[in-house]
Amino acid sequence: MSDILIVDDEKDIRELIADILGDEGYETRTAGSSDECMDELNAKEPSLMVLDIWLKDSRMDGIDILKHVKRDNPDVPVIIISGHGNIEIAVAAIKQGAYDFIEKPFNIDQLLVVVARAMETARLRRENSSLRRQGGDLGEMIGQSAGFKKLREQLDKVTKSNGRVMLTGEPGSGKELAARFIHANSGRANAPFVSVSSASIEPERVEEVLFGRETPERGVEKGLLEQAHGGVVYFDEVADMPLGTQSKILRVLTEQQFTRVGGADKVRVDLRVISSTTRDLRGLIEQGSFRQELYDRLNVVPIAVPSLAERREDVPLLAQYFIEGFNRSQGLPLREISEEAAAVIQTMDWPGNIRQLRNVIERILILGEGTGPIESKDLPQESEASGDDGRLTLSGQLATLPLREARELFEREYLLTQINRFSGNISRTANFVGMERSALHRKLKSLGVVTSTKAGARVAHVEDELD
């Protein structure tokens, strides 16, 4: 919950402000002097301060406290209030780092608007500071497969430019992680990264959320585009954006300015735009549900984010990375993955990609017993899993075939799985399955298995059989 420290030498004023903010859901603390204020600051850093500039019978006035806060608690926004307000005091407070200045007697709606804006600004500042400090959790790219290396090379190139990027890929494949990586390694790293979920915003509120609004009662409320000024705005699943909003976003991209809902003034913004989608935008353009002009504007640099199926080599590495992350953030056991379990998770289907893998690892750590290595028995069981006695449960198709055909089908599927697991590396596959490289080539040819290149990695498939 948001924690606001209210500092005023007049008890009635500080209690009034505390009651007003409490009614809005904020948690508040109060102080009547500079000494009380410093005690509260030392006890716990607040999310925001509302500070009177004149403090009767105190060692420090509001400007002195403001200087102290900006030195030791730079992320805490400070709103200065005063009954003796004049332009000189306001300018002095702003120069010393105050977020805003409100003159007594203040308007309640004005106070609430300024507090809401200050809290949002502080949230964005903390989020970006956290991203810079915890780059390993949200901004670090993990992998060593050919598909991953190709992605990393593309991302490294676009960090050096200001071009718009369109990230495509399956759900859970790491598109937002890629967007955050671009931001964290670009010249805009110290500016905001604002994520816009096109699918989660109610259609009738999209424009208000993006552009902000102006009302006589609450004044100006900044939208997400204005909050991202100077930084990056990330449109997640851009295909879900309503057509009407698409035309307005197109205008923003063209003019770098917009008008708030209910307002008349133009708001200029400096933004880098990164978008992502799991859908076929060209198909949506043909259907008339996505604008060709917007697609052309957003798709300046298209980058495909590979699925886990295209980078199976990275699965054990990612799993161990998640284990270490959960140990740091939640205190879950710091376990290793056995060689057998590593082999199994590389061959499993991951339709939910990295997100699904992360959830599975978290579940294993929470429900698992002990701190020893994760074994294959700890993993989710496939539909064709071993029974209680260790015997393999055959599928209906395999159980009805003669032994020779069943053996060929098994060998074919087994070798396809292993080749894809090792990203098409025949030498590593041969070493794992215990065959000479030349023998493996002959076996693959006899089974009709061929390799081809896809998304920067070698993958295997079965040749079409001719009648």
Side-chain angles (χ1 to χ4, degrees), residues 99-129:
Y99 177 79
D100 209 338
F101 178 92
I102 299 178
E103 185 176 358
K104 297 178 184 176
F106 53 81
N107 177 281
I108 291 177
D109 288 332
Q110 180 191 14
L111 173 68
L112 293 176
V113 168
V114 174
V115 167
R117 284 190 207 147
M119 293 293 284
E120 179 62 18
T121 300
R123 182 191 67 78
L124 290 171
R125 187 181 299 131
R126 286 193 301 271
E127 178 181 281
N128 281 283
S129 297

Side-chain angles (χ1 to χ4, degrees), residues 322-386:
F322 291 139
I323 290 172
E324 294 170 2
F326 286 130
N327 173 257
R328 291 192 303 270
S329 63
Q330 300 183 33
L332 294 177
L334 185 59
R335 304 175 66 180
E336 295 183 351
I337 302 174
S338 69
E339 289 187 14
E340 181 184 1
V344 171
I345 61 175
Q346 280 182 289
T347 61
M348 291 172 62
D349 288 330
W350 297 102
N353 292 291
I354 296 175
R355 185 184 299 126
Q356 182 187 7
L357 174 63
R358 183 181 187 276
N359 292 342
V360 166
I361 294 300
E362 183 177 15
R363 183 165 66 246
I364 290 173
L365 295 178
I366 292 173
L367 300 179
E369 298 179 1
T371 58
I374 295 175
E375 304 291 348
S376 57
K377 62 181 177 62
D378 299 319
L379 301 172
Q381 299 302 303
E382 304 281 15
S383 58
E384 296 183 15
S386 297

